[in-house]
């Protein structure tokens, strides 16, 4: 009994999440904006049909889209993350192994059924179930390998005659399908490699599959040969059910308006560091060093300024108070009174598991004190999870700062906040 690799991918994920929680926008053109309502980062099928390009700055098309009746939403990352977790949880019951690849994509592996082995009907059942439970449209690509599953998913999504499901493992000769895939659209082919292929007349996936392996190995090594073997139907990329531990954690944001005061920069750094510390504790890690970086806007008419500073912790920690004490003095080193800052961020590095904390003589930390600090951090995280982010925060973060991210068209957090749950009257 042969195995099949499946790729389930959410269609227009951000826009679909908005429609899933607000039925009044279903069937209407809708776009989702990036941080600070900057650019268009997701479009509904209706908005795509209107020719609205991805990545367009909102201020350039605002009046045109308002005139055409396009619905606009700010990015609601809390909603998208929660919907993603629900989607992945529902997929676990459908496959034998699952790899969460991104917020809206997951690879799965299962055995083909005896007989003809066709999984098209299975894929359509999966689509219906996800649509019924979560209101999300997904495309299902099925093939012998991960690279071919990406291609099958692309065909399922773009060719509506397949009904959102395409089993590339059941076609007699996948060559004609691979011939329709441009070399730039093959998963794992970057800009440099696609240019190298184009210069040699290799313009589509089939040509890459059939080219001599020796030439590809000379240019790309074992990575390129592995990719070619995947195109030939030989599985070389295993599913990664448990993601590897992170080597670093970063939190950064652009400001809704330039920060021109040292106090404003300190508040931003404290806010980002609090968020990074929370992520560290959830990951079960401690950081050995903290880097703070800032930059101005290259378009505000002043000379561009970017700078960063790093501090090593005497003892790796995920305690927000320890991280703040180490990182906030860096703000004074980075701040320039005549340089309006457009973005700042913190990078936690030298991460290690919480179980590997090694004390030393110069920075003793009694076990009792360590346990009290861990209990305090767990209590703060628990309160913020239960009652909403920012319910308990450090005073250094400030109250209602003016630089926070602009999200003037934010939808409700109907899946994570009780007060935002829609009320239905019959």
């Amino acid at each position: 009994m042969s195995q099949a690799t499946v790729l389930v991918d959410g269609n227009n994920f951000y826009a679909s999440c908005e429609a899933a929680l607000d039925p009044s926008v279903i069937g209407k053109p809708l776009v989702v904006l990036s941080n600070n309502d900057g650019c268009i980062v997701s479009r509904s099928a209706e908005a795509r049909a209107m020719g609205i390009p991805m990545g367009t700055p909102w201020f350039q098309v605002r009046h045109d889209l308002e005139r055409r009746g396009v619905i606009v939403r700010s990015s609601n990352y809390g909603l998208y993350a929660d919907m993603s977790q629900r989607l992945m949880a529902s997929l676990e019951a459908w496959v034998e192994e699952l790899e969460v690849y991104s917020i809206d994509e997951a690879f799965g592996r299962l055995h083909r059924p005896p007989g003809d082995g066709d999984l098209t009907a299975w894929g359509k059942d999966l689509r219906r179930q996800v649509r019924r439970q979560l209101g999300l449209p997904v495309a299902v690509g099925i093939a012998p390998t991960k690279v071919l599953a990406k291609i099958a998913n692309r065909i399922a999504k773009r060719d509506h005659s397949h009904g959102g499901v395409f089993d590339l493992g059941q076609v007699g000769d996948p060559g004609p399908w691979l011939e329709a895939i441009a070399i730039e659209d093959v998963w794992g082919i970057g800009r440099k490699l696609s240019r190298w292929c184009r210069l040699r007349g290799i313009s589509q996936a089939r040509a890459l599959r059939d080219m001599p392996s020796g030439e590809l190995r000379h240019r790309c090594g074992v990575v390129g040969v592995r990719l070619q073997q995947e195109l030939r139907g030989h599985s070389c990329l295993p599913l990664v059910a448990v993601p590897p531990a992170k080597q670093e954690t970063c939190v950064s944001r652009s400001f809704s308006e330039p920060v021109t005061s040292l106090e404003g920069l300190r508040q931003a750094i404290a806010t980002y560091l609090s968020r990074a510390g929370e992520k560290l504790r959830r990951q079960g890690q401690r950081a050995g060093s903290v880097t703070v970086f800032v930059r101005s806007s290259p378009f505000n008419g002043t000379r561009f300024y970017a700078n960063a500073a790093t501090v090593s912790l005497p003892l790796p920690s995920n305690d927000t108070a320890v991280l703040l004490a180490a990182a906030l003095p860096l703000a004074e080193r980075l701040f320039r009174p005549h340089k309006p800052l457009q973005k700042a961020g913190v990078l936690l590095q030298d991460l290690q598991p919480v179980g590997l904390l090694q004390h030393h003589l110069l920075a003793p930390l009694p076990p009792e004190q360590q346990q009290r600090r861990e209990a305090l951090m767990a209590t703060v995280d628990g309160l913020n999870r239960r009652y909403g982010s920012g319910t308990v925060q450090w005073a250094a973060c400030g109250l209602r700062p003016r630089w926070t991210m602009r999200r003037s068209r934010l939808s409700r957090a109907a899946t994570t906040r009780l007060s935002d749950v829609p009320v239905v009257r019959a």
Side-chain angles (χ1 to χ4, degrees):
M1 189 182 299
S2 62
Q3 280 198 325
T5 301
V6 180
L7 176 64
V8 181
D9 184 14
N11 299 344
N12 317 314
F13 188 68
Y14 289 0
S16 297
C17 289
E18 297 287 347
L21 273 298
D22 183 0
S24 67
V25 305
I26 294 177
K28 299 178 181 177
L30 181 148
V31 299
V32 178
L33 305 178
S34 62
N35 291 341
N36 289 317
D37 294 346
C39 302
I40 295 173
V41 294
S42 182
R43 303 159 295 167
S44 66
E46 294 76 16
R48 294 162 71 103
M50 293 172 66
I52 300 172
M54 193 78 155
T56 306
W58 166 235
F59 74 91
Q60 290 183 359
V61 296
R62 176 174 182 171
H63 297 299
D64 179 50
L65 297 193
E66 287 178 347
R67 180 179 56 80
R68 299 164 74 183
V70 177
I71 300 167
V72 181
R73 293 285 169 79
S74 303
S75 292
N76 191 338
Y77 295 118
L79 169 66
Y80 309 150
D82 184 69
M83 293 295 285
S84 174
Q85 290 178 3
R86 293 168 188 248
L87 172 62
M88 302 310 167
S90 67
L91 294 180
E92 285 181 341
W94 286 81
V95 297
E96 296 163 14
E97 297 177 84
L98 184 74
E99 174 189 341
V100 179
Y101 180 66
S102 67
I103 191 170
D104 62 343
E105 285 183 281
F107 287 102
R109 190 154 288 168
L110 72 164
H111 285 91
R112 287 191 177 276
D116 64 357
D118 192 355
L119 287 168
T120 303
W122 172 89
K124 292 185 175 180
D125 287 343
L126 185 152
R127 285 190 84 231
R128 280 192 292 270
Q129 186 75 358
V130 171
R131 190 63 180 256
R132 187 177 68 82
Q133 290 183 338
L134 302 175
L136 295 176
V138 298
V140 182
I142 309 166
T145 69
K146 293 174 80 171
V147 173
L148 289 177
K150 288 283 282 188
I151 292 175
N153 187 281
R154 183 182 181 86
I155 297 171
K157 188 175 288 187
R158 301 205 169 195
D159 189 342
H160 298 295
S161 65
H162 298 297
V165 179
F166 185 64
D167 189 348
L168 190 58
Q170 286 303 105
V171 301
D173 177 17
W177 298 99
L178 299 183
E179 199 166 328
I181 303 297
I183 191 68
E184 293 82 4
D185 296 330
V186 177
W187 187 48
I189 299 291
R191 186 182 304 172
K192 289 183 179 179
L193 183 54
S194 63
R195 184 172 181 272
W196 178 83
C197 290
R198 288 275 180 185
L199 290 174
R200 282 152 184 80
I202 302 166
S203 58
Q204 26 81 9
R206 180 173 185 170
L208 180 64
R209 183 197 67 176
D210 298 338
M211 73 175 293
S213 298
E215 188 178 359
L216 192 62
R217 177 186 291 274
H218 180 71
R219 173 64 177 82
C220 310
V222 68
V223 175
V225 176
R226 190 180 297 156
L227 174 62
Q228 187 181 49
Q229 291 298 314
E230 286 263 322
L231 285 172
R232 291 175 177 175
H234 307 304
S235 180
C236 301
L237 302 175
L239 261 61
V240 182
V242 180
K246 291 191 174 184
Q247 301 299 310
E248 57 187 30
T249 290
C250 180
V251 175
S252 66
R253 298 282 188 278
S254 294
F255 303 131
S256 58
E257 57 182 66
V259 168
T260 57
S261 68
L262 176 59
E263 184 57 27
L265 178 59
R266 286 173 57 89
Q267 290 178 358
I269 292 174
T271 302
Y272 301 159
L273 209 51
S274 298
R275 173 64 180 147
E278 184 182 337
K279 293 172 69 174
L280 266 191
R281 294 189 289 274
R282 190 172 63 241
Q283 295 164 193
Q285 293 178 307
R286 291 189 175 94
S289 63
V290 183
T291 295
V292 177
F293 56 91
V294 299
R295 71 166 176 81
S296 64
S297 170
F299 308 110
N300 64 359
T302 62
R303 189 172 181 182
F304 181 68
Y305 169 71
N307 205 349
T310 301
V311 60
S312 296
L313 302 177
L315 204 64
S317 177
N318 57 19
D319 188 320
T320 301
V322 175
L323 300 175
L324 288 173
L328 284 181
L330 301 181
E332 299 179 17
R333 292 168 51 184
L334 301 175
F335 180 71
R336 301 289 185 273
H338 55 287
K339 294 291 185 184
L341 298 175
Q342 192 62 44
K343 185 174 184 178
V346 298
L347 181 65
L348 304 183
Q349 298 167 296
D350 303 328
L351 304 189
Q352 60 179 245
V354 291
L356 294 183
L357 181 62
Q358 185 171 3
H359 297 262
H360 57 78
L361 295 176
L362 298 180
L365 190 65
E368 298 80 11
Q369 182 181 351
Q370 178 68 28
Q371 291 176 2
R372 286 198 297 270
R373 296 299 308 180
E374 292 175 357
L376 174 62
M377 292 299 105
T379 302
V380 170
D381 293 344
L383 289 171
N384 286 331
R385 275 197 304 271
R386 181 171 183 179
Y387 298 106
S389 179
T391 300
V392 179
Q393 67 176 8
W394 269 252
C397 299
L399 297 174
R400 299 185 183 86
R402 300 175 59 184
W403 45 264
T404 51
M405 189 164 58
R406 184 189 310 117
R407 292 193 290 181
S408 60
R409 299 166 185 264
L410 187 65
S411 57
R412 296 178 298 182
T415 62
T416 54
R417 189 180 302 150
L418 187 60
S419 59
D420 284 359
V421 174
V423 177
V424 178
R425 295 183 174 86

